[in-house]
Amino acid sequence: MRKVVPQDLFRFRLISDPQISPDGSQVAFVVRQSDLEANQTRSTLWVVPTVGGEPRQLTNPSQGSDRMPRWSPDGSRLAFLSDRGGKTQIWVIPAAGGEASCVETEQRPTYGLTWSPDGSHLAFTASIYLKDDDWQTYPGAPDWDRQRASDVATAEAGSDAAKSLADVKVITRLKFRMDGVGYYGDKRSHICTVPADGSAPARVISSGDFDHTHPAWSSCGQYIYCAALRQPDADHFNRQDLWRFTVATGEARLIFEHAGPVSLPTPSPDGRYVAFGGHSNEHYGSTSTQLLLLDLASRQLTSLTAPLDRPLGPGGPSDLRVVPAANSGQWAPDSSGLYFLLADQGESHLFFAPVDGTPPRKLTTGEERTVFDFSAAVNGNIALLIGDGANPDDLYLLVDSIERRLTDLNPFIRELTISRPEKFTYDGANGQPVDGWLIRPVGYEEGKRYPTVLSIHGGPHGHYGWSLQVLFQTLASAGFAVLYTNPRGSQTYGQAFARAVVGDWGGDDYIDIMKGVDQVIAMAVADPDRLGVTGWSYGGFMTCWTVTQTDRFRAAITGAPVANRHNFIGTTDIPWFMEWHAGGNPWEREGEERLLERSAIVHVDKVNTPTMVVCGEGDLRCPIEQADQFYLALKRIGKVPAVQIRYPGEFHGIARPQHKFDRYERMIAWFHHYLMA
């Protein structure tokens, strides 16, 4: 056995997007692995038989990154997206293996790959330039500007033509960019279909200057359902409607006008219902996502998960997890109900909700673990992706309430000394119960106190749970205890708990977190004189806020922070976010006061803690100017050591392997310097 080091992050093979075959005999999945030396991450497709046996690699990593495997209805083929050849396209490969063939399209598929019920066609989404003849970029634009916009939108990315075009960005939308994506330009997301054998060009089914997402075929194959808000001022609303397009003609029909967001509409096999993830904006962006059921005949909308008061979806994040492709719910073959995941106090499990109104029932058992994704077959077999605080995710098969493991892709973990997280509950602000997790340092000795690093999650509606975190394990191996908590604002504890942070950033949530620190000191684990604090995004905000409010921490590392809420509202890719959370805007006196009152930059002169500021230079969610403000203020005041680490080419998350490694090494060294003395 040996201790965990940052290089171990790149030894793990990460499983995602399990897809069980229609007959339940095989599971296809994606394996992602990073290469530190090559500074790249590749993903490949694998399959494993459900009766047992070794997983088999289906595609070659040297050909590109493959993702989103989807079984044909007869189970003979797998369609997937791949960037092999430099341009993302649809590929189809025999399930038994062999050469994949390209279903070439003029469009670049981005998402939503799905087979028609008869297996003859594939649907997908793509960003497409689709403007009316009388469209102009903006009133008063030069006559040639429309042609410029068309040339920019239609040029093949990376081509000589694209490189030669002007790099001017003409922006007219409220939502004109998205972190991880970049600037939208004049394209919109549209639904397309293409023959699965590539015998004809792809057709754009949706229409208009609107975004359309999450295509889903009706069981008869005549229609495609999707989410869209087909109105000119759509960017101003946190909502979508449910639409249906006739595949043969492209005729659009509004099925349901919804009060909130719509994701992953899923028609029932009998054609009676459409289920989707969403909510009705009761608490705007802080509303817990629910599994909603629309009766197409009566137009009655029912929440299948509201009685449980827990958010739809999987458990907490990990540096060893890939965000699920999307899975809000899956129908039983007889249309009697839906399978779905529900997160509860750091765990998540698979549930089944009947459509007859009887309460949902939990299908998976056990504690201290996360069911992160699933896929159900017609015969009742269900593939599960399960991990916990000491083990990365692996595939399991659920049959008649019995689980059986299908994969063991990271056996080397048994060579590592893993410190299993310990969950505890303590009284936060106003006596509110709050969950925390403690990872003791490797070689922990009873009665000895240790330097302790507090990690604060993002969101603020993120949450920690039963997930293996390599960063935390490297800190534990380096001799630190690690504390992480779910203060108010965290999801998986009910709507009221999540909503409680709105209008109170740095208030009771801060008290919740500090009382967690008090608790691990009272447990005689944490050394009160050797404390460090770190966090990313909202956790970065809270790290900045914490060091302006207390001197109890000897070192801090703030990542992608919100340091100045006043101007964050005009620089982020989600401009309405802070308006909701702070309860006002900079141009309103009362709103201005709220924004500044809880901005760390206003109190930065109180900081007595050495602080490292980490950020991606291309971050569009918490723009780098936020990190710049806090760092430059610390340097200008000159009271404490301060350093800024900037990673070029990175969005809100640090993705490139060498940058990840650099960040982990610097964090350990910073805390070692200030906490181990």
Side-chain angles (χ1 to χ4, degrees):
M1 303 288 285
R2 65 168 178 81
K3 295 180 179 180
V4 181
V5 294
Q7 291 91 333
D8 288 320
L9 178 66
F10 310 102
R11 296 183 64 190
F12 283 94
R13 294 188 288 183
L14 312 185
I15 301 178
S16 65
D17 203 3
Q19 297 291 320
I20 197 164
S21 61
D23 64 0
S25 65
Q26 299 183 82
V27 182
F29 55 98
V30 178
V31 173
R32 182 179 183 185
Q33 187 166 20
S34 296
D35 185 329
L36 179 59
E37 184 175 348
N39 197 28
Q40 63 182 7
T41 299
R42 292 288 191 186
S43 57
T44 54
L45 305 188
W46 293 57
V47 292
V48 62
T50 55
V51 295
E54 287 296 315
R56 173 171 56 93
Q57 186 172 321
L58 197 61
T59 61
N60 189 334
S62 66
Q63 296 177 323
S65 286
D66 306 327
R67 60 187 176 92
M68 202 171 290
R70 296 296 181 264
W71 292 96
S72 61
D74 64 2
S76 65
R77 296 164 291 169
L78 277 162
F80 61 97
L81 300 184
S82 178
D83 64 1
R84 56 182 72 186
K87 176 183 177 180
T88 301
Q89 289 283 268
I90 301 170
W91 293 73
V92 177
I93 191 170
E99 290 296 322
S101 59
C102 181
V103 183
E104 190 171 353
T105 62
E106 178 184 347
Q107 302 82 7
R108 184 187 293 262
T110 55
Y111 197 72
L113 183 64
T114 180
W115 290 84
S116 63
D118 64 1
S120 65
H121 284 71
L122 290 155
F124 60 93
T125 62
S127 293
I128 298 173
Y129 179 80
L130 198 64
K131 303 294 185 183
D132 295 332
D133 292 339
D134 59 352
W135 176 81
Q136 56 181 340
T137 53
Y138 60 90
D143 293 339
W144 47 261
D145 204 35
R146 186 182 192 283
Q147 186 62 49
R148 176 206 58 83
S150 175
D151 291 344
V152 169
T154 56
E156 184 63 36
S159 66
D160 291 339
K163 294 175 183 177
S164 67
L165 291 168
D167 57 0
V168 174
K169 294 181 175 67
V170 178
I171 296 168
T172 60
R173 295 179 56 180
L174 174 65
K175 293 166 60 176
F176 59 91
R177 59 187 176 177
M178 182 61 65
D179 188 75
V181 175
Y183 288 78
Y184 295 141
D186 294 305
K187 294 182 179 181
R188 294 284 191 167
S189 179
H190 282 279
I191 310 298
C192 306
T193 63
V194 64
D197 60 6
S199 59
R203 293 176 51 236
V204 182
I205 301 300
S206 55
S207 59
D209 194 20
F210 315 108
D211 290 309
H212 304 77
T213 62
H214 305 121
W217 295 84
S218 63
S219 57
C220 66
Q222 298 180 48
Y223 309 107
I224 288 179
Y225 291 89
C226 70
L229 186 57
R230 292 170 57 88
Q231 59 186 56
D233 56 352
D235 287 352
H236 293 260
F237 298 94
N238 183 41
R239 56 172 293 263
Q240 290 86 36
D241 299 323
L242 182 64
W243 285 81
R244 190 187 76 185
F245 285 86
T246 302
V247 175
T249 65
E251 178 188 358
R253 180 182 177 187
L254 177 62
I255 298 300
F256 186 72
E257 187 173 347
H258 189 42
V262 172
S263 65
L264 299 165
T266 308
S268 60
D270 64 6
R272 180 178 175 183
Y273 303 100
V274 175
F276 58 90
H279 56 71
S280 296
N281 266 331
E282 295 93 336
H283 306 283
Y284 196 64
S286 299
T287 314
S288 298
T289 300
Q290 302 170 31
L291 180 58
L292 302 174
L293 183 70
L294 176 68
D295 187 312
L296 291 173
S298 67
R299 295 298 192 269
Q300 180 178 353
L301 188 68
T302 304
S303 172
L304 298 178
T305 55
L308 302 175
D309 193 23
R310 291 295 183 267
L312 179 70
S318 162
D319 48 12
L320 289 179
R321 281 201 172 124
V322 180
V323 176
N327 200 341
S328 63
Q330 186 173 341
W331 282 97
D334 61 0
S335 300
S336 61
L338 292 112
Y339 301 97
F340 62 95
L341 296 178
L342 204 69
D344 181 22
Q345 301 183 55
E347 295 181 356
S348 64
H349 285 277
L350 180 70
F351 287 74
F352 182 79
V355 297
D356 63 7
T358 56
R361 61 180 185 273
K362 188 165 72 170
L363 302 182
T364 51
T365 58
E367 298 179 339
E368 300 185 355
R369 64 182 195 154
T370 295
V371 181
F372 198 65
D373 208 346
F374 77 96
S375 178
V378 174
N379 68 354
N381 289 356
I382 302 175
L384 304 172
L385 193 58
I386 302 177
D388 60 38
N391 295 283
D393 294 338
D394 264 302
L395 278 174
Y396 292 76
L397 185 71
L398 180 67
V399 180
D400 297 328
S401 302
I402 304 298
E403 290 179 11
R404 179 162 49 82
R405 188 170 182 168
L406 296 178
T407 63
D408 183 16
L409 289 192
N410 297 289
F412 80 92
I413 195 174
R414 292 185 279 277
E415 305 168 6
L416 306 179
T417 301
I418 300 295
S419 183
R420 181 175 288 274
E422 304 167 21
K423 185 179 180 181
F424 61 95
T425 302
Y426 61 94
D427 289 339
N430 307 312
Q432 171 71 55
V434 176
D435 282 344
W437 284 262
L438 172 66
I439 296 179
R440 298 175 190 261
V442 172
Y444 170 78
E445 298 176 17
E446 194 74 35
K448 182 179 177 181
R449 291 187 179 270
Y450 291 86
T452 300
V453 174
L454 163 68
S455 182
I456 307 171
H457 70 62
H461 300 311
H463 63 280
Y464 283 123
W466 293 103
S467 306
L468 177 62
Q469 306 271 6
V470 173
L471 174 59
F472 295 171
Q473 294 297 328
T474 58
L475 286 167
S477 288
F480 300 94
V482 181
L483 166 67
Y484 47 107
T485 70
N486 281 342
R488 68 197 67 204
S490 305
Q491 278 287 8
T492 80
Y493 295 87
Q495 181 62 76
F497 192 85
R499 174 66 175 78
V501 75
V502 175
D504 193 36
W505 283 30
D508 284 348
D509 52 352
Y510 168 73
I511 296 173
D512 287 347
I513 294 167
M514 292 303 104
K515 284 183 174 289
V517 176
D518 295 339
Q519 183 68 24
V520 293
I521 293 173
M523 293 164 64
V525 175
D527 184 340
D529 296 322
R530 293 188 293 168
L531 299 175
V533 58
T534 188
W536 197 266
S537 193
Y538 167 81
F541 157 82
M542 188 57 75
T543 300
C544 292
W545 181 256
T546 295
V547 295
T548 67
Q549 304 300 304
T550 180
D551 294 338
R552 69 190 304 186
F553 294 94
R554 287 177 57 178
I557 302 175
T558 179
V562 176
N564 185 344
R565 306 195 316 167
H566 186 270
N567 71 320
F568 175 76
I569 207 167
T571 56
T572 179
D573 65 336
I574 46 175
W576 59 90
F577 174 83
M578 191 55 71
E579 176 183 349
W580 161 251
H581 274 277
N585 284 299
W587 55 86
E588 302 162 345
R589 176 57 62 88
E590 189 174 347
E592 180 183 35
E593 292 173 353
R594 290 192 186 118
L595 288 162
L596 289 174
E597 177 190 13
R598 297 288 176 88
S599 290
I601 196 68
V602 176
H603 309 281
V604 68
D605 59 320
K606 303 173 187 174
V607 176
N608 294 307
T609 304
T611 301
M612 175 182 286
V613 183
V614 184
C615 46
E617 289 190 337
D619 193 336
L620 299 178
R621 182 61 43 87
C622 298
I624 195 169
E625 58 85 18
Q626 292 285 317
D628 287 346
Q629 286 189 60
F630 201 71
Y631 166 72
L632 289 171
L634 291 174
K635 297 301 285 188
R636 173 68 179 82
I637 295 167
K639 288 170 56 180
V640 298
V643 61
Q644 185 183 42
I645 311 298
R646 300 163 68 106
Y647 293 108
E650 299 284 7
F651 284 107
H652 190 49
I654 305 302
R656 297 178 184 178
Q658 290 178 7
H659 288 165
K660 284 185 177 181
F661 177 73
D662 183 275
R663 177 187 163 216
Y664 281 24
E665 288 274 273
R666 291 182 188 278
M667 291 183 71
I668 295 168
W670 182 262
F671 283 133
H672 187 276
H673 178 76
Y674 286 103
L675 305 187
M676 288 296 188

